[in-house]
Amino acid sequence: EERALLEVTAAMLTLKKSSRRRLIRCSLAFFSLLAFLAYHATFFMMVSSVQNSSEGVQHNLFDPPPSSSSSLQEPTNIVHNLTIEQRFAYAPSSVPLSEFDRKRMNRLPPTYPLRVPAPIFVASLPKSGTSSVWKYFLCGGHMAAHHYSRVDATLSIPIGECIENNVDVGRPPFQNCGPYYVWSDNGYVTFPERKGNSTSCFYPSIHALDSFYAAYPEMTILVFRRNVTSWVKSVQKFQKIAERWTMCNRKGMIKKNNEAALSRFYLDHISRLKNFADQRPSITFIEMPLEGPTVGKELQRLIGIPASCWKNVAPGKK
């Protein structure tokens, strides 16, 4: 191997300077392409599969959900053959179902009928299990969106921007945002263009609850409650979300990035959602702890998707 390396090095030295530069540029381009392909292959595997912790094997999100243990009975009203039209009937969209949407729905596993009304608005703040609940509904065979909405074969847009645009002009919040009926991680906060600059932000669970109720009076609001101390550390660290929140001059957002202010912001958010639903009996409100051994079983009882789906996607300590 050393001899081969020396021969290659000697060959490069004998090339003209311009030829060496072209060779180096080609080599860099080649390795950049390999890195790009490796990154996207890893991302696809991460999204399309979840880890089965009990058996040490992977469960593909688009395979049928794994069977439950004998000690945990599955819902008695499971129907494994809902048609695409029946799935789409859940979606609060007036847009006809496209061929692209049909292909996506065909990739989903057999459907467990929901025991709660749709749309299901996951109102949890970022870093509160929003990706886990998204995968949970995918495992149950339902059209769920997380942060981005695929509106057609070529275009994806942030859910928060789509909702904000609709609310601003008086349209139903989810109109033209895609054929989904489960929506998770629905807000956004931008990065400042330069140091000291302000940011833009929009969180439907803070800024648009009245619009949701006007359009979907029988919707389901689902919120997960994480350990507050863990949540504070997470939003301060991950992409500096907390810091960017303080730079957004919008009503309802925090002004100080410290543990006391963030803890109060988090708890007040959950309390405000609960009070909002309590005053509107047509809303189905579900508040769940994010961690704990009985979360999956309770989700199965309330929503209808087996606990095994939650077991495969439940977040670990971060």
Side-chain angles (χ1 to χ4, degrees), residues 107-156:
R107 295 182 62 199
L108 290 170
T111 308
Y112 293 84
L114 297 172
R115 293 176 171 175
V116 293
I120 298 174
F121 174 41
V122 182
S124 307
L125 288 172
K127 309 307 295 179
S128 298
T130 56
S131 60
S132 293
V133 71
W134 165 60
K135 293 176 183 178
Y136 170 75
F137 279 98
L138 286 181
C139 180
H142 294 284
M143 289 293 286
H146 178 263
H147 195 70
Y148 282 94
S149 171
R150 191 71 176 263
V151 294
D152 59 37
T154 60
L155 178 62
S156 293

Coordinates of all heavy atoms in Angstrom, one line a residue, residues 107-156:
R107 N -48.2 4.2 0.8 CA -47.0 3.7 1.5 C -47.2 3.6 3.0 O -46.4 3.0 3.7 CB -45.9 4.7 1.2 CG -45.4 4.8 -0.2 CD -44.2 5.8 -0.4 NE -43.1 5.4 0.4 CZ -42.1 6.2 0.8 NH1 -42.1 7.5 0.5 NH2 -41.1 5.7 1.5
L108 N -48.3 4.1 3.5 CA -48.6 4.1 4.9 C -49.0 2.6 5.3 O -49.5 1.9 4.5 CB -49.7 5.0 5.3 CG -49.3 6.5 5.2 CD1 -50.5 7.4 5.4 CD2 -48.2 6.9 6.3
P109 N -48.8 2.3 6.5 CA -49.2 0.9 7.0 C -50.7 0.9 7.1 O -51.4 1.9 7.0 CB -48.5 0.8 8.4 CG -48.3 2.2 8.8 CD -48.1 3.0 7.6
P110 N -51.3 -0.3 7.4 CA -52.7 -0.4 7.7 C -53.1 0.6 8.7 O -52.4 0.8 9.7 CB -52.9 -1.9 8.1 CG -51.7 -2.6 7.5 CD -50.6 -1.6 7.5
T111 N -54.3 1.1 8.6 CA -54.8 2.2 9.4 C -55.5 1.7 10.6 O -56.4 0.8 10.6 CB -55.7 3.1 8.6 OG1 -55.1 3.5 7.4 CG2 -56.1 4.3 9.4
Y112 N -55.2 2.3 11.8 CA -56.0 2.1 13.0 C -56.9 3.3 13.1 O -56.5 4.5 13.3 CB -55.1 2.1 14.2 CG -54.2 0.8 14.2 CD1 -53.0 0.8 13.6 CD2 -54.6 -0.3 15.0 CE1 -52.2 -0.3 13.6 CE2 -53.8 -1.4 15.0 CZ -52.6 -1.5 14.3 OH -51.9 -2.6 14.3
P113 N -58.3 3.1 13.0 CA -59.2 4.3 13.1 C -59.0 5.1 14.3 O -58.8 4.5 15.4 CB -60.6 3.6 13.0 CG -60.3 2.3 12.3 CD -58.9 1.8 12.8
L114 N -59.1 6.4 14.2 CA -58.9 7.3 15.3 C -60.2 7.3 16.2 O -61.3 7.2 15.7 CB -58.7 8.7 14.8 CG -57.4 8.9 13.9 CD1 -57.4 10.3 13.3 CD2 -56.2 8.7 14.8
R115 N -59.9 7.4 17.5 CA -61.0 7.5 18.5 C -61.2 9.0 18.8 O -62.1 9.3 19.8 CB -60.6 6.7 19.7 CG -60.6 5.2 19.5 CD -60.2 4.5 20.7 NE -60.3 3.0 20.5 CZ -59.9 2.1 21.4 NH1 -59.4 2.5 22.5 NH2 -60.1 0.8 21.2
V116 N -60.6 9.9 18.2 CA -60.7 11.3 18.5 C -61.0 12.0 17.1 O -60.7 11.6 16.1 CB -59.5 11.9 19.1 CG1 -59.3 11.4 20.5 CG2 -58.2 11.7 18.3
P117 N -61.7 13.2 17.2 CA -62.0 13.9 16.0 C -60.7 14.5 15.3 O -59.7 14.8 16.0 CB -62.9 15.1 16.4 CG -63.3 14.7 17.8 CD -62.2 13.9 18.4
A118 N -60.8 14.6 14.0 CA -59.7 15.3 13.2 C -60.3 16.7 12.8 O -61.5 16.8 12.7 CB -59.3 14.5 12.0
P119 N -59.4 17.6 12.5 CA -57.9 17.5 12.6 C -57.4 17.4 14.0 O -58.0 17.9 15.0 CB -57.4 18.8 11.9 CG -58.5 19.8 12.2 CD -59.8 19.0 12.1
I120 N -56.2 16.8 14.1 CA -55.5 16.7 15.4 C -54.4 17.7 15.4 O -53.4 17.6 14.6 CB -55.0 15.3 15.6 CG1 -56.1 14.3 15.6 CG2 -54.2 15.2 16.9 CD1 -55.7 12.9 15.7
F121 N -54.5 18.7 16.2 CA -53.5 19.8 16.3 C -52.6 19.6 17.5 O -53.0 19.7 18.6 CB -54.3 21.1 16.5 CG -53.4 22.3 16.7 CD1 -52.3 22.5 16.0 CD2 -53.8 23.3 17.6 CE1 -51.5 23.7 16.2 CE2 -53.1 24.4 17.8 CZ -51.9 24.6 17.1
V122 N -51.4 19.2 17.2 CA -50.4 18.9 18.2 C -49.8 20.3 18.6 O -49.0 20.9 17.9 CB -49.2 18.0 17.8 CG1 -48.3 17.7 18.9 CG2 -49.8 16.7 17.2
A123 N -50.2 20.8 19.8 CA -50.0 22.1 20.2 C -48.7 22.2 21.1 O -48.5 23.3 21.7 CB -51.2 22.7 21.0
S124 N -48.0 21.2 21.2 CA -46.8 21.2 22.1 C -45.7 22.2 21.5 O -45.6 22.3 20.3 CB -46.1 19.8 22.1 OG -47.1 18.8 22.5
L125 N -45.0 22.8 22.4 CA -43.9 23.7 22.0 C -42.8 22.8 21.4 O -42.7 21.6 21.7 CB -43.4 24.5 23.1 CG -44.4 25.7 23.6 CD1 -43.9 26.3 24.9 CD2 -44.5 26.7 22.5
P126 N -41.9 23.4 20.6 CA -40.7 22.7 20.2 C -39.9 22.0 21.3 O -39.9 22.5 22.4 CB -39.8 23.7 19.5 CG -40.8 24.8 19.1 CD -41.9 24.8 20.1
K127 N -39.3 20.9 21.0 CA -38.5 20.1 21.9 C -39.4 19.4 23.0 O -39.0 19.2 24.1 CB -37.4 20.9 22.6 CG -36.5 21.6 21.6 CD -36.0 20.7 20.5 CE -35.0 19.6 21.0 NZ -34.5 18.7 20.0
S128 N -40.7 19.2 22.6 CA -41.6 18.5 23.6 C -42.2 17.2 22.9 O -43.3 16.9 23.1 CB -42.7 19.4 24.0 OG -42.3 20.6 24.6
G129 N -41.3 16.5 22.1 CA -41.8 15.3 21.5 C -42.6 15.4 20.3 O -43.3 14.5 19.9
T130 N -42.4 16.5 19.6 CA -43.2 16.8 18.3 C -42.9 15.8 17.2 O -43.7 15.3 16.5 CB -43.0 18.2 17.8 OG1 -41.6 18.4 17.6 CG2 -43.6 19.2 18.8
S131 N -41.6 15.4 17.1 CA -41.2 14.4 16.1 C -41.7 13.0 16.5 O -42.0 12.2 15.6 CB -39.7 14.4 15.8 OG -39.0 14.1 17.0
S132 N -41.7 12.7 17.8 CA -42.1 11.4 18.2 C -43.6 11.2 18.0 O -44.0 10.1 17.5 CB -41.8 11.2 19.7 OG -40.4 11.2 19.9
V133 N -44.4 12.2 18.2 CA -45.8 12.0 18.0 C -46.2 12.0 16.5 O -47.1 11.3 16.1 CB -46.6 13.2 18.7 CG1 -46.4 14.5 18.0 CG2 -48.1 12.8 18.8
W134 N -45.4 12.7 15.7 CA -45.5 12.6 14.3 C -45.3 11.1 13.8 O -46.1 10.6 13.0 CB -44.5 13.5 13.6 CG -44.3 13.3 12.2 CD1 -45.2 13.4 11.1 CD2 -43.0 13.1 11.5 NE1 -44.5 13.2 9.9 CE2 -43.2 13.0 10.1 CE3 -41.7 12.9 12.0 CZ2 -42.2 12.8 9.2 CZ3 -40.7 12.7 11.1 CH2 -40.9 12.6 9.8
K135 N -44.2 10.5 14.3 CA -43.9 9.1 13.9 C -44.9 8.2 14.4 O -45.2 7.1 13.8 CB -42.5 8.8 14.4 CG -41.4 9.5 13.7 CD -40.0 9.2 14.3 CE -38.9 10.0 13.7 NZ -37.6 9.6 14.3
Y136 N -45.5 8.5 15.6 CA -46.5 7.6 16.2 C -47.7 7.5 15.3 O -48.3 6.5 15.0 CB -46.9 8.2 17.6 CG -48.1 7.6 18.2 CD1 -48.0 6.3 18.8 CD2 -49.3 8.3 18.3 CE1 -49.2 5.8 19.4 CE2 -50.4 7.8 18.9 CZ -50.3 6.5 19.5 OH -51.5 6.0 20.1
F137 N -48.2 8.7 14.8 CA -49.3 8.7 13.9 C -49.0 8.0 12.5 O -49.9 7.4 11.9 CB -49.9 10.1 13.7 CG -50.8 10.5 14.8 CD1 -50.2 11.3 15.9 CD2 -52.1 10.1 14.9 CE1 -51.0 11.7 16.9 CE2 -52.9 10.5 16.0 CZ -52.4 11.3 17.0
L138 N -47.8 8.2 12.0 CA -47.4 7.5 10.8 C -47.5 6.0 11.0 O -47.9 5.3 10.1 CB -46.0 7.9 10.4 CG -45.8 9.3 9.8 CD1 -44.3 9.5 9.4 CD2 -46.7 9.5 8.6
C139 N -47.0 5.6 12.1 CA -47.0 4.1 12.5 C -48.4 3.6 12.5 O -48.7 2.4 12.1 CB -46.3 3.9 13.8 SG -46.2 2.2 14.4
G140 N -49.4 4.4 12.9 CA -50.8 4.0 12.9 C -51.5 4.2 11.6 O -52.7 4.0 11.5
G141 N -50.7 4.6 10.5 CA -51.3 4.6 9.2 C -51.9 6.0 8.8 O -52.7 6.0 7.9
H142 N -51.6 7.0 9.5 CA -52.3 8.3 9.3 C -51.4 9.4 8.7 O -50.2 9.4 8.9 CB -52.9 8.8 10.6 CG -54.0 7.9 11.1 ND1 -55.3 7.9 10.6 CD2 -54.0 7.0 12.1 CE1 -56.0 7.0 11.2 NE2 -55.2 6.4 12.2
M143 N -52.0 10.2 7.9 CA -51.3 11.3 7.2 C -51.0 12.4 8.3 O -51.8 13.2 8.7 CB -52.2 11.9 6.1 CG -52.3 11.0 4.9 SD -50.8 10.7 4.0 CE -50.5 12.2 3.2
A144 N -49.7 12.5 8.6 CA -49.2 13.4 9.6 C -48.1 14.3 9.0 O -47.3 13.8 8.2 CB -48.7 12.7 10.9
A145 N -48.0 15.5 9.4 CA -47.0 16.4 9.0 C -46.2 16.9 10.2 O -46.8 17.1 11.3 CB -47.6 17.6 8.2
H146 N -44.9 17.1 10.0 CA -44.0 17.7 11.1 C -43.2 18.8 10.5 O -42.3 18.6 9.7 CB -43.1 16.5 11.6 CG -42.2 17.0 12.7 ND1 -40.9 17.4 12.4 CD2 -42.4 17.2 14.0 CE1 -40.3 17.7 13.5 NE2 -41.2 17.6 14.5
H147 N -43.5 20.0 11.0 CA -42.8 21.2 10.6 C -42.9 21.6 9.2 O -43.2 22.8 8.9 CB -41.3 21.1 11.0 CG -40.6 22.5 11.0 ND1 -40.9 23.4 12.0 CD2 -39.7 23.1 10.2 CE1 -40.2 24.5 11.7 NE2 -39.5 24.3 10.6
Y148 N -42.7 20.7 8.3 CA -42.9 21.0 6.8 C -44.1 20.2 6.3 O -44.3 19.1 6.7 CB -41.6 20.6 6.0 CG -40.5 21.6 6.2 CD1 -39.5 21.4 7.1 CD2 -40.4 22.7 5.3 CE1 -38.5 22.4 7.3 CE2 -39.4 23.7 5.5 CZ -38.4 23.5 6.4 OH -37.4 24.4 6.6
S149 N -44.7 20.9 5.3 CA -45.9 20.3 4.7 C -45.6 20.1 3.2 O -45.1 21.0 2.5 CB -47.1 21.2 4.8 OG -48.2 20.7 4.0
R150 N -45.7 18.9 2.7 CA -45.5 18.6 1.3 C -46.8 18.9 0.5 O -47.7 18.1 0.6 CB -45.1 17.1 1.1 CG -44.6 16.8 -0.3 CD -43.2 17.5 -0.5 NE -42.7 17.1 -1.8 CZ -41.8 16.1 -2.0 NH1 -41.4 15.4 -0.9 NH2 -41.3 15.9 -3.2
V151 N -46.9 20.0 -0.1 CA -48.1 20.4 -0.8 C -48.3 19.8 -2.2 O -49.4 19.7 -2.7 CB -48.3 21.9 -0.9 CG1 -48.4 22.5 0.5 CG2 -47.1 22.5 -1.6
D152 N -47.2 19.4 -2.8 CA -47.3 18.7 -4.1 C -46.0 17.9 -4.2 O -45.1 17.8 -3.3 CB -47.6 19.6 -5.3 CG -46.6 20.7 -5.5 OD1 -45.4 20.4 -5.2 OD2 -46.9 21.8 -5.9
A153 N -45.8 17.3 -5.4 CA -44.6 16.5 -5.7 C -43.3 17.2 -5.6 O -42.2 16.6 -5.4 CB -44.7 15.8 -7.0
T154 N -43.3 18.5 -5.7 CA -42.0 19.3 -5.8 C -41.9 20.4 -4.7 O -40.8 20.9 -4.6 CB -41.9 20.0 -7.2 OG1 -43.0 20.9 -7.4 CG2 -41.9 19.0 -8.3
L155 N -43.0 20.7 -4.0 CA -42.9 21.8 -3.1 C -43.2 21.4 -1.6 O -44.3 20.8 -1.4 CB -43.9 22.9 -3.6 CG -44.0 24.2 -2.7 CD1 -42.7 24.9 -2.7 CD2 -45.2 25.0 -3.2
S156 N -42.3 21.8 -0.7 CA -42.6 21.7 0.7 C -42.5 23.1 1.3 O -41.6 23.9 1.0 CB -41.5 20.8 1.3 OG -41.7 19.4 0.9

